[in-house]
Each structure stands twice: as C-alpha cells, then as structure tokens.
Amino acid sequence: MSARSGAFSATSEPSLARTGVLLMLLGMLMFALNDVMGKWLVSTYSVGQVVFVRSVAALIVLAPFLWFSGPKKIMQVDKPFLQFARVAASTAEIFAFYFAVVYLPLADVMTYWLAAPIYVAAISPLVLKEPVGWRRWSAIVVGFIGVVIALEPSSQALTPQAIISILGSMTFALMLLLGRSLRGTPDTTLVFWQIVGAGLAGAASLYFDWKPVSPRDLVLLGILGVVAMLAHMLVNRALKMADAATVAPLQYTLLFWAIVFGWLVFGDVPRLPMLIGSGFIVASGLFIFFREQQLKRQGRIKEEPVETIVTGSGDPL
C-alpha cells in the first residue's frame, strides 16, 4: 500500500507541476486580455466608469468565496491603518494604469509595471529592515538602468503620461510592500477591500463623467471584472500545484502578450529602447526573485505569500 502510494506521489508530482505551469500561463494570458479590454474601453468611457463597473463585476464573482470564508472574517482586519494604506495605493495604481494605457502602448506600460519588484527590493531594507546583499543591489541597479532605457528620457519622450506610468508602477510597488507587512491577512480579505476601494473611487467619479453604456459595452465591462478574477484564481491554483520557482517567473510572459496584442489590436510597433529596457528589467527581476527564494530556504529572510509577488492580489495586471 505504501509502495503504491509512493509511486503515485512520484508520478503525480510532475503532472501537477505541468498543470501548474499551464494554469499560470493561462492566468497570464487572461491578465493580458483584461488589460487589452481595459485599454479598449477607456478609449470610450472614463477611467472611473470602467473601474466602477469592473469592480461590481469582480465582487459578483468573488461573492461565493466571501460567503464560504465567512463575512465576519472580511470585517475583522489586522493593522487597519496598513490595510487602508494598501487599499489607497491599490486604487491609485489602478487609476494610473488605465490612464496610462489610454495614451501609451500596452507594452510600454507593462514594462514599467514589471519593474515594481525591483522597487520593492530597493525599498525593503529601509522599510522592512530586510538585508540586501551586493548581488541583489547589483540586480536592482541593472533594473533601474532598464527603466531609464525604456523611458528614453528626453523632452519628447518624457511626457506626463510616461511619468504617470512610472508613478503608477511605484504605487504598485508600495502595494506589494504593504502586502509583505500584512502576511497574516487572507488573500480573499485583501482582494475584497481592494475591489471595494477601487469601486468607491470609481463611483465617486461618475458624477463628473458618466456616459450611457451600450448593451455590448456593458457586457464587455462586466467581462473585464470577471476575467481579472478568473486570472487571479488561475494564478493562485498554479502556485498551489507547482513550486513558486517554477511558475512565478512565468509572469513575464505578460510582456510578450502585451507586445503581441498591442501590435495586433492597436497597431503599436514596439520601440527598440523599450525592448532593450524590458530585457534589463526582466533579467533583474528574475535574479532578485531566485535570490530571494534561495535566502528564504536558508531562513535568512521571511516567507511571504508568493501571490503578492506575482499579481499583487488584485491589481489590473
């Protein structure tokens, strides 16, 4: 019996890992589709209107999970000030993301957002007192060089939209950093309050800019929230079925999809500086991730839910 059980475990683990990889890839594709739909819709409707309807749809999808986990748990949050700060950062990040994609190619915006883990690694020693050695500092410097190359700073390229993208990605980094301080909070609670915060901000903006929504676009707005929630579910399931070191780096396939969909749907031709800068950013992010995984195994830094590394538990990526 034990031999059969061991054989089953040995043969099922690779199968589970492969399934985890497929789910992660599918989750990243879903996130990319979410971003494409968001960029398409904010060209017609205000950012606040898109965020509001997206939040309502996401809450509908999340409702069964909230019911099973218990509504009381949602209301009982630890460190309320940090929770509020995280919701505020998440809301600002979502608005910045959708504002940026109105004016910039999707691949450019995605490149700036993928630099967020680099900002987190740079700020962690100051905020969380986490030690950062020379290897990770070197990777952080390489990542910042990549951001500068992708930004292509000049009087023509350094536009308000590009600056908002950088500020938005830094706000995303702040959200990830606050997530590290809220390790004990269930993902469902974090996602719920993020959605509520974004929905309330979107609702407040409707007074100033509301456009009648066609039935087709109403369906698309609803699908926007559903796709985002499904993407999070796929990512969470992938991280439960396979090792984080196997599936977490696959988040960078978002950049591939952003380039493909940006070209096919919006006619955006990738800029050479963006491609070079994104290469620096991806290489830096991968090195930081694998180095932190190694240090966690050695017990030199604290463990954290890897979901917050991959997607921030509710961001528009």
Side-chain angles (χ1 to χ4, degrees):
M1 183 72 175
S2 60
R4 288 184 183 177
S5 145
F8 176 78
S9 176
T11 56
S12 63
E13 283 183 7
S15 177
L16 285 175
R18 286 194 295 269
T19 303
V21 167
L22 291 175
L23 290 178
M24 189 68 175
L25 290 172
L26 182 58
M28 292 301 105
L29 174 59
M30 296 284 279
F31 273 122
L33 290 173
N34 174 76
D35 296 337
V36 171
M37 292 171 60
K39 180 176 174 65
W40 181 277
L41 289 166
V42 292
S43 65
T44 303
Y45 304 100
S46 69
V47 172
Q49 189 170 352
V50 170
V51 170
F52 172 71
V53 180
R54 172 186 185 269
S55 300
V56 171
L59 282 176
I60 292 173
V61 176
L62 192 61
F65 300 93
L66 297 175
W67 178 261
F68 285 116
S69 64
K72 289 184 179 179
K73 291 183 179 179
I74 302 298
M75 304 305 297
Q76 297 172 351
V77 294
D78 296 328
K79 303 177 182 178
F81 176 76
L82 290 182
Q83 295 281 0
F84 177 81
R86 189 175 187 278
V87 169
S90 171
T91 301
E93 179 258 337
I94 290 173
F95 274 79
F97 181 86
Y98 282 125
F99 179 83
V101 296
V102 173
Y103 302 99
L104 296 176
L106 190 60
D108 287 39
V109 178
M110 195 66 69
T111 296
Y112 300 138
W113 251 257
L114 287 175
I118 299 169
Y119 305 147
V120 172
I123 299 171
S124 292
L126 302 175
V127 179
L128 301 179
K129 308 302 180 184
E130 292 182 354
V132 175
W134 67 269
R135 295 180 183 85
R136 280 190 290 167
W137 276 121
S138 300
I140 289 168
V141 171
V142 170
F144 277 117
I145 291 173
V147 172
V148 172
I149 294 174
L151 189 58
E152 198 179 0
S154 68
S155 57
Q156 291 78 27
L158 200 59
T159 62
Q161 293 81 13
I163 294 173
I164 287 176
S165 291
I166 295 295
L167 293 176
S169 66
M170 290 181 174
T171 309
F172 180 40
L174 176 61
M175 185 183 73
L176 294 178
L177 196 65
L178 290 168
R180 289 190 174 191
S181 301
L182 296 168
R183 292 182 177 93
T185 304
D187 288 339
T188 306
T189 301
L190 291 175
V191 173
F192 171 75
W193 288 112
Q194 274 184 223
I195 295 172
V196 169
L200 290 176
S205 71
L206 296 181
Y207 177 79
F208 304 98
D209 193 358
W210 169 267
K211 291 182 180 178
V213 184
S214 67
R216 184 200 66 176
D217 288 350
L218 183 61
V219 172
L220 289 176
L221 285 164
I223 292 175
L224 187 66
V226 174
V227 167
M229 288 306 304
L230 289 177
H232 281 291
M233 293 175 190
L234 288 168
V235 169
N236 289 340
R237 177 55 57 184
L239 290 165
K240 288 178 173 62
M241 300 184 75
D243 184 76
T246 301
V247 295
L250 297 174
Q251 67 179 306
Y252 292 105
T253 58
L254 275 170
L255 185 57
F256 167 77
W257 290 121
I259 293 173
V260 170
F261 288 137
W263 178 47
L264 293 178
V265 180
F266 304 106
D268 296 329
V269 179
R271 298 179 298 110
L272 181 60
M274 185 278 294
L275 293 175
I276 295 174
S278 65
F280 277 77
I281 291 169
V282 170
S284 172
L286 286 173
F287 180 87
I288 291 170
F289 173 77
F290 284 116
R291 179 59 179 165
E292 289 185 350
Q293 292 295 302
Q294 182 183 35
L295 294 175
K296 286 173 187 175
R297 287 193 295 269
Q298 296 172 359
R300 294 165 62 182
I301 61 175
K302 294 180 180 178
E303 289 282 351
E304 66 174 303
V306 75
E307 292 91 332
T308 62
I309 300 173
V310 179
T311 66
S313 297
D315 64 282
L317 301 183

